[in-house]
């Protein structure tokens, strides 16, 4: 038992050291009123006195959500989020970009989706990329988090440029999708709004719908702060503003910034995160996609850890911060994820 505790503690220390080695991302944050507007479930949206923290509630009556006041042609979008605790099966909290409200059949989307679980099992987070309505070609990846996301805020960020998409957790890149000619329209290219929502996804979110939302444990509260919107605002997703000089200049500045440069340190940190925390990848799901996607960077050492279904092959230990004297998290089966 002592040896197992040491292994878990060592993993946490290594992860923390890797994150500390990366330079923190410093961007200007905005008050809710400066960049966002309520979307639905208005009575379930609670704003702090300084308007910089927003809590979204899911109860028996409705979920809730907010969206950016403007659409953006590329940019860096970020929020620090604290998730609901205890029994959260069936609950989904999402932070994402989309233009599905205005371009239904050819919409683009970039997702962080947090999937609730039964008591004693961890939240899971999945990322996804859709371009030009490519919903039949889901590019999901799923991870466990190396911390408890319900006890304090953690930052989740999406960088979207004309060349690449990068997802970050606490300033550590966890996934990079580089644009390739073979992706054609599957790479998101049209202006999108930014959304945050909490909702009842009982039909699929936890063990394929086996466990549903239990409102005796509600209301379920997801809190958002440190809201950042960095990009070129546009008014019309199919209008002439896309080619404006202002947006071109903003895009060039974003591409040249430290945010978009994947240094060796960032690449190494991303590889460590994926080795320690990824439990599903579409790139290794040969049952669903016999031919690999053009943007997939198949790593042999990584591929050997996954079954043909894309799920982790061996039992995966949840890595989380442990208090002195506490028991380490029990092994979690890939089937539970």
């Amino acid at each position: 038992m002592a040896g197992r505790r040491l292994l878990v503690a060592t993993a946490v220390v290594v992860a923390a050291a890797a994150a500390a080695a990366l330079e923190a991302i410093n961007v200007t944050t905005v008050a809710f009123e400066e960049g966002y507007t309520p979307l639905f479930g208005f009575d379930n949206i609670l704003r702090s006195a300084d308007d910089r923290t927003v809590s979204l509630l899911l109860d028996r009556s409705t979920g809730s959500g907010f969206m950016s006041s403007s659409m953006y042609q590329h940019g860096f979008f970020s929020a620090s989020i604290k998730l609901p605790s205890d029994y959260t099966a069936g609950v989904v909290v999402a932070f994402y970009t989309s233009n599905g409200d205005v371009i239904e059949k050819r919409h683009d989307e970039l997702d962080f989706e947090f999937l609730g679980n039964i008591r004693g099992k961890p939240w899971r987070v999945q990322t996804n990329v859709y371009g030009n309505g490519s919903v039949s070609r889901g590019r999901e990846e799923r991870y466990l988090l190396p911390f408890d996301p319900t006890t304090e805020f953690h930052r989740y960020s999406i960088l979207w440029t004309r060349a690449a998409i990068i997802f970050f957790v606490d300033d550590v890149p966890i996934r990079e999708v580089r644009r390739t000619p073979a992706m054609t329209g599957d790479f998101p290219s049209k202006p999108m709004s930014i959304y945050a929502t909490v909702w009842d996804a009982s039909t699929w979110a936890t063990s394929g719908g086996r466990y549903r939302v239990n409102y005796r444990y509600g209301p379920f509260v997801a809190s958002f702060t440190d809201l950042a919107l960095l990009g070129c605002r546009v008014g019309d997703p199919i209008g002439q503003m896309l080619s404006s000089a202002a947006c071109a200049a903003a895009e060039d500045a974003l591409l040249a910034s430290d945010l978009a440069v994947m240094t060796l340190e960032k690449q190494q940190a991303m590889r460590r995160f994926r080795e320690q925390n990824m439990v599903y990848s579409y790139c290794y799901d040969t049952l669903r996609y016999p031919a690999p996607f053009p943007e997939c960077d198949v790593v042999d050492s990584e591929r050997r850890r996954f079954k043909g279904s894309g799920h982790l092959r061996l039992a995966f230990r949840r890595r989380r911060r442990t208090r002195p004297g506490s028991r380490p998290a029990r092994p979690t089966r890939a089937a539970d994820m």
Side-chain angles (χ1 to χ4, degrees), residues 21-101:
L22 297 178
E23 188 172 337
I25 296 175
N26 293 313
V27 293
T28 301
T29 61
V30 299
F32 182 85
E33 190 71 26
E34 294 176 314
Y36 287 94
T37 186
L39 177 63
F40 71 100
F42 300 142
D43 291 339
N44 281 5
I45 301 174
L46 306 180
R47 293 157 62 175
S48 64
D50 64 1
D51 208 31
R52 290 189 171 270
T53 300
V54 184
S55 293
L56 299 179
L57 279 63
L58 167 66
D59 59 22
R60 293 180 186 273
S61 63
T62 183
S64 54
F66 61 85
M67 64 180 293
S68 60
S69 305
S70 301
M71 303 186 79
Y72 290 81
Q73 179 65 21
H74 304 129
F76 178 82
F77 315 110
S78 183
S80 292
I81 306 171
K82 185 164 68 171
L83 299 175
S85 59
D86 204 356
Y87 185 100
T88 55
V91 177
V92 170
V93 176
F95 178 67
Y96 64 105
T97 69
S98 178
N99 47 37
D101 288 343

Side-chain angles (χ1 to χ4, degrees), residues 83-294:
L83 299 175
S85 59
D86 204 356
Y87 185 100
T88 55
V91 177
V92 170
V93 176
F95 178 67
Y96 64 105
T97 69
S98 178
N99 47 37
D101 288 343
V102 292
I103 311 176
E104 292 186 9
K105 295 183 179 180
R106 296 185 299 107
H107 89 283
D108 305 309
E109 190 170 321
L110 302 172
D111 295 330
F112 268 115
E113 287 184 313
F114 304 90
L115 312 180
N117 219 328
I118 62 175
R119 180 179 291 163
K121 292 187 179 180
W123 278 85
R124 296 134 308 145
V125 57
Q126 68 180 23
T127 60
N128 211 336
V129 175
Y130 297 115
N132 209 34
S134 58
V135 293
S136 63
R137 298 183 295 279
R139 289 170 159 86
E140 303 101 330
E141 287 192 345
R142 188 173 292 184
Y143 327 86
L144 297 183
L145 293 167
F147 50 77
D148 184 345
T150 71
T151 58
E152 57 186 9
F153 286 93
H154 291 272
R155 179 149 69 168
Y156 306 90
S157 309
I158 300 171
L159 174 70
W160 170 44
T161 73
R162 61 173 176 261
I165 298 155
I166 305 175
F167 294 88
F168 298 83
V169 173
D170 283 340
D171 299 346
V172 175
I174 67 167
R175 178 181 182 184
E176 180 185 27
V177 178
R178 300 207 64 82
R179 186 174 194 168
T180 68
M183 287 186 73
T184 59
D186 282 5
F187 190 91
S189 60
K190 299 180 289 296
M192 293 189 276
S193 300
I194 297 83
Y195 296 81
T197 58
V198 59
W199 53 290
D200 184 330
S202 290
T203 58
W204 64 272
T206 307
S207 298
R210 179 181 177 187
Y211 300 103
R212 304 178 66 83
V213 173
N214 187 335
Y215 285 102
R216 289 185 301 167
Y217 296 95
F220 303 96
V221 182
S223 297
F224 298 75
T225 192
D226 298 331
L227 302 170
L229 295 166
L230 178 65
C232 185
R233 298 184 182 186
V234 298
D236 183 348
I238 55 176
Q240 297 300 315
M241 294 184 70
L242 295 183
S243 59
S244 70
C247 278
E251 171 78 355
D252 290 341
L254 184 62
L255 283 169
S257 71
D258 291 340
L259 290 171
V261 178
M262 282 293 284
T263 63
L264 178 60
E265 290 78 14
K266 288 182 181 179
Q267 293 176 41
Q268 291 173 338
M270 181 171 70
R271 181 62 61 204
R272 283 190 294 267
F273 183 97
R274 295 170 67 82
E275 287 176 351
Q276 295 170 4
N277 300 288
M278 188 166 71
V279 295
Y280 172 82
S281 174
Y282 72 106
C283 287
Y284 303 123
D285 191 344
T286 55
L287 298 181
R288 186 180 177 191
Y289 304 117
F293 284 69

